[in-house]
Amino acid sequence: MPRAAKNTKSSDDAGIMAVVAKQMQSSWEKKRKEKEAKYFTNAEAVLEQCVTSGREEYLEAMADMNAAYEQFVQDYAVVEDEIRKLLLQLGREQQKMRDLAESKHTQMVDSEKARERGQVQGMATAKKAMEDFHRFSNMLRQLE
């Protein structure tokens, strides 16, 4: 009988060992699941932190770009105003030049007309003088 008791004892030991092994496996499974849950929680937190950080960097970059664009638009408007001012000034100067050129042209035409009249008068005076000279010389010849 001792053999049967030993056999029973071994089967009890095997049963206990199976229960202990099952508990250990269950404990390991539980620890593994806890580690996985902790890992995923940490990974989710890190990912959320990265997303938040990336979002903040993106928003800062967008704000910087918008500020730079607004500064560009303001600078561009100032330059455009300066160009417009210079073009208006240039237009006024061109108008002055046209008026001056017109005035000079009118003066030249009037001067040319006066010169022509003077020449015509001079030629008329010269012609009359020549006619008077011829008449005078004819008179002198007749007196001779």
Side-chain angles (χ1 to χ4, degrees):
M1 252 222 212
R3 228 177 183 174
K6 192 176 186 188
N7 214 0
T8 305
K9 195 173 183 190
S10 302
S11 110
D12 282 345
D13 283 346
I16 290 174
M17 290 296 275
V19 168
V20 169
K22 200 171 203 183
Q23 284 178 345
M24 283 179 68
Q25 185 176 7
S26 172
S27 174
W28 287 338
E29 278 292 319
K30 185 177 177 184
K31 283 182 183 179
R32 186 183 60 81
K33 285 182 181 179
E34 286 174 359
K35 281 183 182 179
E36 282 180 1
K38 186 177 177 182
Y39 172 79
F40 285 124
T41 302
N42 287 340
E44 187 177 356
V46 168
L47 182 60
E48 184 63 32
Q49 185 180 11
C50 287
V51 167
T52 302
S53 172
R55 184 180 310 127
E56 289 171 0
E57 288 176 12
Y58 172 77
L59 292 175
E60 286 175 13
M62 287 301 295
D64 289 346
M65 284 176 40
N66 285 335
Y69 180 71
E70 285 180 25
Q71 185 62 45
F72 165 76
V73 169
Q74 288 176 351
D75 292 346
Y76 187 80
V78 167
V79 169
E80 282 292 315
D81 288 344
E82 189 64 28
I83 290 171
R84 193 173 301 113
K85 178 180 158 187
L86 291 173
L87 287 175
L88 289 172
Q89 187 177 359
L90 180 65
R92 287 190 295 269
E93 292 299 320
Q94 283 179 334
Q95 186 60 44
K96 284 181 188 177
M97 293 295 283
R98 277 192 296 267
D99 293 346
L100 183 61
E102 249 179 61
S103 171
K104 290 291 181 188
H105 178 70
T106 302
Q107 286 176 354
M108 292 288 286
V109 167
D110 292 345
S111 175
E112 185 66 23
K113 285 180 183 177
R115 186 188 59 74
E116 252 181 56
R117 279 192 301 270
Q119 282 182 339
V120 168
Q121 274 181 339
M123 287 184 353
T125 303
K127 182 179 177 185
K128 185 165 179 357
M130 289 296 285
E131 288 172 355
D132 287 346
F133 176 75
H134 282 294
R135 249 183 297 155
F136 181 68
S137 84
N138 282 338
M139 246 180 20
L140 284 178
R141 275 191 209 153
Q142 286 174 0
L143 287 176
E144 277 185 9

